[in-house]
Amino acid sequence: MNKIPVNRNFVWTETFVNQLVSIGVKYACISPGSRNTPLTISFSKQKKIKCFVHIDERVSGFFALGLAKAANTPVAVVTTSGTATAELYPAIIEAYQQRIPLIICTADRPPEKLNTGANQTIIQRNLYRNHIRWFKNVWLRDLSERKIVSVKRIAIKAFKISSSQNKGPIHLNFPFRRPLEPDSYTDEISKELFDEISKPLILSDKIIEPDELRKKGKRLIDHISDKVSGNEKGLIITGPLVYNQKLITGINQLSKVTGYPILSDGISHLRFNNSAASKNVCVNYDTFLGSENFRKYHKAEFVLHFGRTPTSNILEEYLNFSNPARFIINEYGDLFDPSGKTKKAIRFNPVLFCEMLIEKLKANNTGKEKTNWQKVFEMADSLVEELKTGQLNKVGLKYEPKIISELVSSLPKNTNLMIGNSLPVRDFEWFASRTNKNIKVFFNRGASGIDGVTSTALGIASIQKPVILLTGDLSFLHDLNALISAKKSGTPLIIVLINNNGGGIFNSLPIASNKKVFKDFFITPHNLNIGKIVKSFGLEYFLIKSNLQIKLREALKKKSFVVLEIKTDSVLSTNFRKKIRSEAIKTLEKELFVK
Ligand SMILES: Cc1ncc(C[n+]2csc(CCOP(=O)(O)OP(=O)(O)O)c2C)c(N)n1
């Protein structure tokens, strides 16, 4: 019988990649190296997979994170062995915390090379053990049909876990023995076995029927609807999450039926959808919940919480103080209550949860006219909004909050917005007003690092258009290597860069008064010329002093990569925030409590 010469590593990687493609993997992010040759070649040959190449693995990891979040489908990430694998760790942590599907494929040296002083050899076995949903060392000990099928099964399991069963990143480690090139043959196999490589297993998936789910949820819904019926003083919190339209609609209807105001996080999408027309959506709670009287006289008794932990610390303080019955609902039962008061989250499909609760409440006839509770929240929100707008109209772009209001009012419909951590996300929470422009907001609030921000935005921009990134200068500098990928790929992305020459957020910390250490160890001014840096990568750059709106429109028309830098005054901005907050609280207390 005729035998076919093969390289064993390729039997393994071709089988694996063929299987991934057959179940729907469409993207791979690959970094250069030698040990990963079999994986790289197998992915790059696939017409149905779009490959992105990044020389820096940290960039690659975050790019894949952005891409996977925007596409909501697993993205494969390929690296060589050694420290290259560790460069992925920050992105893996973020993906773990946010449950973003990544299939991490690290090439490794064979086990006999471990602890021998062999080059580029580290212990990669379950390297990310605290932040990974599944790990598997992928071995092909012999070239039997059984072993080839087991590689296919691993690919299927990787896909299923990462995309749904326990959504998030999974790690497959491939120890490859030399030779690593496809035409350096190591074995001979039969035609039948050879054909197995390109024959994927059919994915058999047990789909849970909605009726089955409904049955499971009935007791829960009965229990909650009983509580809602007896509690006028309820709130709906929409924490950070990329909400789909069904969930947005469900939450809005739930708010109407229950009469509960929606406290919508700046990065929750509910502020920027058609739901925003409803006054039920509050956006200024971070200010009005700062009023002691408001807290005291308007304690929440019942909370339905969707999405992650809210950005607003004041909201958390208010909840601690009110001590309501808090129901945290999400697909995986992840807990988002740093106070530790809620012991367990509800593991249930949030869309179905809304649907079932609405049905039940309507059946119980609890839908009613606006309550006083609702009116107070609406009134407080409008009052702060008016005051805030008045103050913002008086200042220019030197004041960081002004950048938020100009940005939100200049965005075209259907924009994707990535918000960096530190002050951008805080200011966005405080100063982004409601709009119905259908703005989809992305963020890295899983671990809230200032790393990988530009790379994540580039990953989103590789499949969504247009994308605007709002980021601070230290975050931008932290991820400069992303500019290499931006230049190489030509991906259109507009970066609105708030440059306050260091970590402006620290100005609001008590340590700011310790002049001795504050500047050098906290603010860390860099005095770098951002324009020169960006241009040195061959990318476009503009310094913006006013009229952000015009520059933004021009940049959007060009459909290219551009950095719009705005130099701000961190101290002025800090004082401005304080002033707005204290004036708003004073006015609110006068209106609501001194009559
Ligand atoms: C990877 C990482 N390193 C350090 C920190 C701590 N940190 C939080 S905010 C911040 C400063 C960020 O400065 P910048 O991006 O310029 O934003 P600004 O605060 O000025 O708005 C730092 C260093 C972090 N969150 N993540």
Side-chain angles (χ1 to χ4, degrees), residues 126-193:
N126 212 357
L127 178 68
Y128 319 109
R129 62 179 67 80
N130 293 327
H131 299 93
I132 208 81
R133 301 286 169 191
W134 185 53
F135 166 76
K136 183 83 184 160
N137 222 20
V138 190
W139 261 118
L140 195 65
R141 282 177 215 279
D142 58 77
L143 282 170
S144 62
E145 189 185 337
R146 203 170 62 84
K147 283 288 170 199
I148 291 180
V149 169
S150 85
V151 170
K152 295 178 191 173
R153 291 226 163 93
I154 288 171
I156 292 177
K157 191 165 175 185
F159 183 87
K160 277 189 177 175
I161 292 178
S162 66
S163 61
S164 59
Q165 283 172 356
N166 193 8
K167 204 168 174 180
I170 66 98
H171 177 203
L172 303 176
N173 189 50
F174 294 77
F176 292 121
R177 266 197 198 105
R178 285 180 191 281
L180 304 165
E181 298 72 31
D183 48 6
S184 304
Y185 302 127
T186 56
D187 298 85
E188 287 194 328
I189 57 174
S190 67
K191 170 90 171 52
E192 287 76 31
L193 201 56

Side-chain angles (χ1 to χ4, degrees), residues 266-552:
I267 48 179
S268 81
H269 194 189
L270 266 95
R271 280 191 198 190
F272 314 115
N273 198 268
N274 43 14
S275 62
S278 149
K279 284 196 170 165
N280 259 3
V281 177
C282 294
V283 301
N284 294 306
Y285 51 87
D286 192 89
T287 305
F288 67 74
L289 293 178
S291 149
E292 261 181 45
N293 276 324
F294 193 97
R295 288 188 202 205
K296 201 157 100 194
Y297 296 113
H298 303 292
K299 277 190 188 177
E301 289 172 9
F302 189 80
V303 165
L304 295 172
H305 177 166
F306 300 92
R308 300 183 58 80
T309 306
T311 309
S312 162
N313 293 332
I314 302 249
L315 173 55
E316 281 300 334
E317 282 172 24
Y318 164 77
L319 293 175
N320 269 342
F321 178 73
S322 291
N323 203 15
R326 187 166 175 182
F327 292 85
I328 299 169
I329 307 112
N330 58 66
E331 198 81 50
Y332 297 94
D334 292 334
L335 196 53
F336 296 114
D337 179 6
S339 76
K341 284 187 173 158
T342 317
K343 296 296 174 226
K344 216 170 160 208
I346 295 171
R347 184 183 180 148
F348 200 70
N349 179 298
V351 175
L352 191 59
F353 176 89
C354 293
E355 254 176 46
M356 289 176 70
L357 190 55
I358 292 163
E359 272 169 29
K360 178 83 191 175
L361 289 172
K362 277 190 175 161
N364 285 353
N365 268 336
T366 44
K368 45 191 172 292
E369 292 294 294
K370 261 188 194 162
T371 60
N372 277 341
W373 171 257
Q374 230 175 333
K375 286 182 197 155
V376 164
F377 272 79
E378 268 185 32
M379 188 226 167
D381 202 62
S382 309
L383 201 139
V384 178
E385 184 70 24
E386 205 178 299
L387 207 131
K388 203 174 73 175
T389 312
Q391 293 291 347
L392 284 167
N393 283 343
K394 291 186 204 157
V395 297
L397 292 176
K398 247 191 180 171
Y399 292 74
E400 286 153 5
K402 176 74 172 183
I403 299 174
I404 308 291
S405 59
E406 278 221 7
L407 178 67
V408 173
S409 62
S410 322
L411 292 175
K413 278 188 175 167
N414 306 319
T415 305
N416 302 280
L417 199 55
M418 165 81 190
I419 307 288
N421 283 318
S422 200
L423 277 175
V425 75
R426 303 254 162 226
D427 269 345
F428 204 72
E429 167 65 33
W430 295 329
F431 296 102
S433 296
R434 294 184 307 202
T435 158
N436 62 359
K437 292 194 242 179
N438 191 30
I439 309 302
K440 201 170 194 179
V441 192
F442 293 87
F443 49 84
N444 278 349
R445 293 300 284 170
S448 299
I450 60 159
D451 44 353
V453 174
T454 310
S455 301
T456 307
L458 269 181
I460 300 164
S462 67
I463 57 161
Q464 304 265 6
K465 290 177 184 48
V467 180
I468 297 174
L469 163 66
L470 181 72
T471 186
D473 49 309
L474 287 194
S475 307
F476 180 75
L477 292 169
H478 203 292
D479 196 17
L480 267 189
N481 278 355
L483 299 193
I484 303 172
S485 298
K487 176 65 187 166
K488 196 166 147 266
S489 64
T491 308
L493 172 69
I494 298 171
I495 300 184
V496 177
L497 173 55
I498 305 175
N499 185 1
N500 52 23
N501 198 23
I505 196 162
F506 299 127
N507 272 314
S508 49
L509 293 181
I511 193 71
S513 59
N514 189 337
K515 300 266 180 286
K516 235 178 176 179
V517 292
F518 187 62
K519 188 164 156 244
D520 292 342
F521 291 92
F522 291 84
I523 290 274
T524 57
H526 47 80
N527 301 313
L528 288 167
N529 185 327
I530 304 259
K532 271 193 183 165
I533 294 175
V534 175
K535 286 178 192 163
S536 77
F537 284 86
L539 294 164
E540 261 197 294
Y541 161 91
F542 296 98
L543 178 66
I544 309 290
K545 291 187 175 163
S546 59
N547 289 328
L548 175 61
Q549 184 156 6
I550 295 171
K551 289 292 180 328
L552 209 59

